[in-house]
């Protein structure tokens, strides 16, 4: 791997590019700003993207900030090991389609990752600018998005090369990022790959979870089309273990399975009044709006539109929910989070966008009880003040209750976004499968192989919760692990 | 995919649909349900499977007009296709030989009850079925239920068929007359609530099958949560059947009203476009 | 034969000997044996607020490889809480279906926050009563006695608001004005107070020069403190009292009853002598009652409390008069 990177770096064009501009000049350039739709305007649309993307000129200038380091630490920060300097330098020299191709060497979903990855905790956190210069990192995420968007809009979408078919059939269960990354790698290796999806729509969390203002569906569809062109088959409305058993599928010729069935049961807090109407999980709220188009009157599925909407939680799901509420017309859209802003697990950019859109942040507060009108519809929530105590094992300070600090807030919709438990469908269909106390499938962390040799797993069903990119990393490792297993056992 | 083979109008608002779905027909067991979406704009609707013909590759569904999507579902004709259908979902009914089983079905609840009645009969039980509805034309699947029951009691609110009275009146009479070992109740939540109260009084284990609001049906959205014995359960993956004596029916009744106003609005919008 | 029935936890108990909350009462098999041995009631092993935090730390430490998104772990304490609560609910249900003596749920909390609201779930699960095991070791120098006492009263108030089954409380002796606190507490509407909680104590190993844990079991001699306070408070409290700590035999149990306790809670002796200790204590009480011609517990309960001429004895704290040769 190191050798390969070095070889690429020593290509003539890279050397030439490096010599064109002095490092001092590169580092003197400020980081590019992402053009955004005006907050007041964008909150009127559920399906218009906030970030507008870089133009050619800005993208090239930003790419020129990258110093093409001898030791590209940024790659270590990427769970799917994208060759970051290579794609960035391709942008700098104007070879945008080459940049896109570079992304696709290791990532099945570059346009998605460019939009939803927490770059500030990954590649950009490991950028030379961050580590050594204490300056704003190269905007790797923006550039990734730029390259992928450029390719898509150019109409000249490259389809990665696929090895000749090896005659073996494998199945991926679930069609979220882990499965898509897995399918992309396996199809390249010559396997026949079928992706089974329980819902009527392919894409998993990319479709039902992440709202269109952050990740438009048509962008996901293009990436899915690409996989279809490579030969991946998709079966919708199919629950493995139910619609057909694993045994049935084995009889149909599938020799190995990758389980990435994702998140399941939404978690609640178990506090009084939580089952009143108007209190729902972020999964339900986002699914109604994103998957079922509930915000559109043309569609049959309803969604509760609240005037005073409180969203409990501090992650991306909470931000997505609260910003959706604002777009559905909430006068007050509030985040209720029991720690401070600094501890929020959400992407920094999402918190920032939420603030611009007029989302209220009620930090260091936690709900303790809900109240309802005579029809059982929530109308008030009681919150309790928190203060931060000692750091816990994750290094974050633990929220501690301030006794006697309860106050009430008027609400008509509450979205609980405090996480999900792994989906129980697959483990319940396979009693011999080893699962943890919390219902996650136990796997070898290198090969992603489970206690059933022909069954591999990744994403939320293994980690409990995974970001899109972590899930994709799992999918790639599982593909490598399964390939090894199938070639060795032949 | 999912082609409609046959339809039968049970009453003004209730339609039986036989749908081609070979995989589901093969895999389903009594108590299982499916989720369907008739077209791009449709809601995901959960429906319990009322029967299946494995050879023909069909399943039987009974749909009732309650909202826009179900209204449109009831209007489908043989040859039409349902865009999406997934299943079988939920836990199958635990069927065993217990002795005498009292099966209570209210309204369209008789449809999901049918395979359960059949199952219990085949397992060697004495099965007494009580079918209840507001009036005669709302009593469905009587012949099919009769086929698998040792006795059938019909109760109507208005006395237009069978005996006048609620399902509980018929049930109590049976309980007082002979030893009942288990009870199954499927129907409107109110009907199940009162059946459960009755059988609790006589200490008869009772299962109720819930028709909660669902979106995905695969354990993801939590819309179908229900309190059973103080614990929050998800109807789609933990149910749809639960120990009726442990279910918090009052909460369930409130929750079922949750989207009523929105549904009424959507329904009115739909009707106005039809004119 | 003597009638051993009494009232505590707001319930009729067939014996004043109650199995106290301990790890044994978290096990269905042992609960069954406790009932067979003739206990008046069983207080289930506590549901500990503190334990949730410890389990969370373990979970956070375990996940190094295949780490989760921080969003997943952000509220993981709720998952652990729910799991513990669900286990406890099943324990209550199973215990209720297994034994015919009252099953008392025990909640051990160090804050009066939403934790107390779980009391409702324990009631729904079928618990006959709830015992609140409240403790603050008053070593936080930022809080005065009032703040500490406030916590006890707040918690009791909140729990009483959410449940309809009887609620009792088990407290420690660490109050600056213990008598008055017990008196005020007894008037809050609770169904009983148990004196006293016995904390795990540190000890010192002088050879190794290190801190060690003191014996986790009580000894027979430890009953004197609860005896004194039962004797002082029984006639003055608005609710029944129970005694615990150091009750290992019928003699001590009888002393507590004579001092005014309505019941006694035993734990250490169950570990040291086995569950049959309960039947031995019952038999001992009955034998003594027969000998003394008492038909029921009420015939002698509180006979030797602070009432009448016994005040001096309970309140004497100097040894002088004792050594002066005047007994009481």
């Amino acid at each position: 791997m190191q050798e390969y990177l070095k070889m690429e770096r020593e290509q003539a064009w890279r050397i030439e590019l490096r010599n064109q501009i002095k490092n001092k000049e590169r580092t003197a350039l400020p980081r590019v700003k992402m053009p955004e739709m005006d907050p007041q305007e964008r909150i009127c649309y559920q399906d218009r993207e906030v970030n507008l993307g870089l133009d050619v000129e800005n993208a090239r200038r930003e790419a020129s900030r990258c110093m093409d380091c001898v030791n590209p630490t940024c790659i270590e920060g990427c769970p799917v090991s994208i060759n970051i300097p290579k794609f960035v330098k391709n942008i700098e020299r104007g070879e945008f389609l080459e940049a896109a191709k570079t992304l696709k060497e290791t990532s099945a979903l570059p346009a998605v990752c460019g939009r939803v990855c927490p770059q500030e905790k990954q590649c950009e956190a490991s950028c030379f600018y961050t580590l050594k210069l204490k300056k704003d990192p190269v905007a790797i995420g923006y550039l990734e998005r730029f390259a992928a968007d450029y390719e898509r809009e150019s109409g000249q979408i490259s389809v990665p090369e696929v090895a000749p078919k090896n005659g073996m059939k494998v199945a991926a269960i679930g069609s979220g990022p882990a499965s898509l990354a897995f399918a992309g790698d396996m199809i390249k290796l010559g396997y026949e790959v079928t992706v089974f999806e329980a819902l009527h729509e392919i894409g998993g969390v990319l479709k039902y979870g992440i709202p269109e203002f952050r990740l438009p569906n048509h962008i996901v569809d293009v990436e899915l089309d690409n996989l279809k062109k490579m030969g991946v088959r998709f079966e919708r409305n199919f629950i493995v273990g139910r619609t057909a058993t694993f045994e049935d599928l084995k009889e149909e010729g599938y020799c190995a399975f990758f389980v990435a069935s994702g998140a399941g049961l939404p978690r609640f807090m178990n506090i009084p009044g939580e089952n009143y109407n108007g209190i729902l999980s972020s999964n339900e709220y986002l699914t109604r709006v994103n998957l079922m188009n509930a915000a559109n009157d043309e569609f049959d599925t309803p969604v509760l539109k609240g005037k005073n909407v409180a969203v409990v939680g501090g992650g991306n799901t909470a931000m997505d929910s609260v910003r959706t509420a604002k777009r559905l017309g909430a006068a007050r859209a509030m985040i209720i989070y029991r720690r401070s802003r600094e501890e929020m697990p959400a992407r920094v950019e999402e918190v920032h966008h939420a603030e611009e859109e007029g989302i209220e942040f009620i930090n260091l507060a936690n709900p303790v009880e809900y109240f309802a009108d005579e029809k059982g519809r929530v109308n008030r929530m009681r919150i309790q003040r928190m203060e931060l105590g000692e750091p816990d094992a994750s290094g974050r300070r633990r929220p501690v209750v301030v006794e006697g600090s309860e106050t009430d807030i008027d609400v008509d919709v509450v979205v609980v976004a405090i996480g999900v438990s792994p989906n129980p469908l697959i483990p319940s269909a396979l009693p011999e499968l080893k699962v943890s106390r919390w219902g996650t499938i136990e796997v070898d962390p290198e090969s992603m192989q489970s206690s059933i040799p022909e069954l591999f797993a990744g994403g939320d069903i293994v980690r409990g919760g995974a970001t899109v990119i972590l899930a994709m990393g799992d999918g790639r490792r599982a593909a490598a692990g399964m390939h090894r297993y199938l070639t060795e056992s032949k | 995919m999912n082609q409609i083979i046959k339809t039968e109008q049970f009453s003004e608002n209730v339609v039986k649909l036989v749908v081609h779905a070979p995989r589901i027909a093969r895999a389903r067991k009594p108590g299982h349900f499916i989720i369907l979406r008739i077209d791009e704009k449709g809601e995901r609707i959960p429906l319990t499977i009322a029967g299946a013909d494995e050879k023909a590759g069909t399943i039987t569904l009974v749909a009732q007009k309650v909202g826009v999507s179900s209204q449109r579902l009831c209007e489908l004709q043989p040859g039409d296709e349902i865009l999406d259908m997934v299943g079988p979902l939920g836990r199958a009914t635990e069927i065993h030989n217990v002795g005498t089983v009292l099966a209570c079905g209210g309204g369209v609840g008789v449809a999901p009850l049918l395979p359960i009645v059949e199952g219990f009969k085949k397992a060697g039980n004495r099965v007494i079925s009580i079918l209840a509805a507001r009036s005669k034309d709302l009593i469905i699947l009587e012949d099919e239920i009769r086929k698998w029951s040792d006795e059938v009691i019909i109760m109507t609110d208005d006395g237009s068929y069978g005996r006048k009275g609620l399902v509980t009146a018929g049930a109590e009479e049976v309980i007082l007359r002979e030893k009942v070992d288990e009870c199954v109740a499927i129907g409107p939540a109110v009907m199940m609530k009162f059946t459960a109260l009755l059988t609790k009084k006589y200490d008869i284990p009772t299962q109720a099958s819930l028709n909660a609001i669902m979106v995905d049906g695969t354990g993801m959205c939590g819309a179908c949560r229900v309190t059973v014995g103080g614990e929050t359960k998800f109807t789609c993956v933990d149910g749809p059947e639960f120990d009726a004596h442990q279910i918090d029916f009052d909460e369930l009744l409130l929750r079922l009203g949750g989207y009523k106003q929105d549904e009424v609005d959507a329904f009115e919008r739909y009707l106005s476009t039809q004119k | 034969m003597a009638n051993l029935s009494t009232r505590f936890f707001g319930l009729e108990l067939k014996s004043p000997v109650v199995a106290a909350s301990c790890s044994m009462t978290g096990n269905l098999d042992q609960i069954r044996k406790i009932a067979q041995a003739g206990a008046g009631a069983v207080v289930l092993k506590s549901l500990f607020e503190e334990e949730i935090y410890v389990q969370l730390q373990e979970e956070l430490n375990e996940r190094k490889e295949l780490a989760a998104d921080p969003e997943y772990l952000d509220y993981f304490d709720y998952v652990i809480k729910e799991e513990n609560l669900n286990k406890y609910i099943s324990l209550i249900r199973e215990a209720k279906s297994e034994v015919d003596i009252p099953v008392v749920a025990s909640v051990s909390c160090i804050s009066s926050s939403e934790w107390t609201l779980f009391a409702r779930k324990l009631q729904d699960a079928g618990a006959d009563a709830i015992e609140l095991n409240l403790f603050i070791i008053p070593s936080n120098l930022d809080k005065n006695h009032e703040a500490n006492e406030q916590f006890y009263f707040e918690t009791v108030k909140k729990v009483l608001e959410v449940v309809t089954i009887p609620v009792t409380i088990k407290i420690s002796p660490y109050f600056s004005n213990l008598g008055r606190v017990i008196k005020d507490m007894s008037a809050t509407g609770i169904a009983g107070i148990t004196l006293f909680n016995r904390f795990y104590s540190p000890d010192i190993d002088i050879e190794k020069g290190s801190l060690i844990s003191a014996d986790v079991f009580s000894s027979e001699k430890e009953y004197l403190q609860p005896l004194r306070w039962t004797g002082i408070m029984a006639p003055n409290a608005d609710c029944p009292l129970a005694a615990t700590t150091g009750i290992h035999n019928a003699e001590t149990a009888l002393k507590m009853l004579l001092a005014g306790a309505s019941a006694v809670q035993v734990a250490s002796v169950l570990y040291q002598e086995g569950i049959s200790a309960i039947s031995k204590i019952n038999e001992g009480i009955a034998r003594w009652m027969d000998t003394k011609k008492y038909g029921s517990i009420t015939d002698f309960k509180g006979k030797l409390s602070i009432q009448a001429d016994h005040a001096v004895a309970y309140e004497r704290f100097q040894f002088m008069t004792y050594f002066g040769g005047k007994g009481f």
Side-chain angles (χ1 to χ4, degrees), chain B residues 26-265:
Chain B
R26 187 153 70 108
R28 69 97 215 189
K29 291 194 176 73
H32 278 151
F33 67 94
I34 54 104
I35 292 240
L36 62 79
R37 191 176 74 130
I38 51 171
D39 58 26
E40 281 299 329
K41 291 182 178 163
E43 251 189 284
R44 289 173 68 91
I45 306 176
L47 282 175
T48 311
I49 302 167
D53 183 336
E54 213 185 306
K55 258 188 242 151
T58 59
I59 58 170
T60 304
L61 304 171
V62 175
Q64 184 177 24
K65 293 177 194 172
V66 284
V68 184
S69 279
S70 55
Q71 162 95 22
R72 294 200 285 134
L73 177 66
C74 291
E75 288 165 2
L76 292 183
Q77 297 301 318
D80 289 346
E81 287 188 357
I82 292 169
L83 181 63
D84 297 299
M85 183 144 80
V86 63
L89 294 159
R91 283 171 190 264
T93 313
E94 280 179 34
I95 288 177
H96 32 219
N97 190 338
V98 290
T100 301
V101 176
L102 181 62
C104 304
V108 283
V110 175
L113 189 68
L114 175 60
I116 297 170
V117 165
E118 179 182 340
F120 273 111
K121 186 66 210 165
K122 283 181 175 166
N125 294 285
R126 172 174 159 76
V127 179
I128 303 164
S129 298
I130 302 178
L131 307 187
R134 280 202 311 279
S135 59
K136 182 180 177 182
D137 56 324
L138 298 175
I139 295 283
I140 63 168
L141 297 168
E142 185 189 338
D143 293 343
E144 289 84 346
I145 290 278
R146 277 195 192 283
K147 189 174 161 199
W148 301 107
S149 306
D150 294 273
E151 184 186 345
V152 175
I153 298 168
I154 309 272
M155 306 290 300
T156 50
D157 293 5
D158 60 2
S160 53
Y161 187 44
R163 304 223 319 265
K164 186 173 153 83
L166 297 173
V167 72
T168 40
E172 189 156 26
E173 190 187 297
V174 175
I175 293 166
L176 292 173
R177 184 185 75 195
E178 64 183 287
K179 183 174 175 293
V180 173
D181 299 287
E182 202 169 309
C183 176
V184 185
I186 311 182
V190 189
M191 167 250 164
M192 292 192 280
K193 175 185 168 175
F194 286 100
T195 310
L197 285 174
L198 174 77
T199 58
K200 189 167 188 175
K201 192 167 94 183
Y202 294 102
D203 213 13
I204 301 165
T206 301
Q207 299 290 315
S209 176
L210 305 185
N211 49 344
I213 291 166
M214 292 183 193
V215 182
D216 65 291
T218 61
M220 227 173 62
C221 77
C224 65
R225 63 194 193 274
V226 51
T227 304
V228 181
E231 282 181 49
T232 294
K233 297 279 184 192
F234 296 88
T235 307
C236 66
V237 288
D238 299 322
E241 281 167 38
F242 295 103
D243 177 349
H245 299 158
Q246 302 280 346
I247 298 169
D248 185 340
F249 278 107
D250 294 328
E251 182 188 273
L252 178 73
L253 282 162
L254 276 180
R255 287 190 62 77
L256 285 171
Y259 279 92
K260 279 264 168 69
Q261 194 50 49
D262 291 33
E263 271 167 18
V264 170
D265 293 349

Side-chain angles (χ1 to χ4, degrees), chain A residues 240-289:
Chain A
V240 176
R242 293 296 190 126
T243 312
T245 63
F246 281 90
E247 288 311 311
D248 293 338
L249 292 178
K250 278 184 198 164
E251 274 172 34
E252 291 174 27
Y254 292 93
C255 52
F257 302 87
F258 175 59
V259 180
S261 47
L265 314 177
R267 291 195 221 129
F268 289 91
M269 296 170 106
N270 250 312
I271 56 176
E274 209 173 18
N275 286 347
Y276 284 134
N277 288 323
I279 304 176
L280 60 168
S281 73
S282 49
N283 266 5
E284 177 181 352
Y285 192 63
L286 293 173
T287 301
R288 282 180 184 274
V289 176

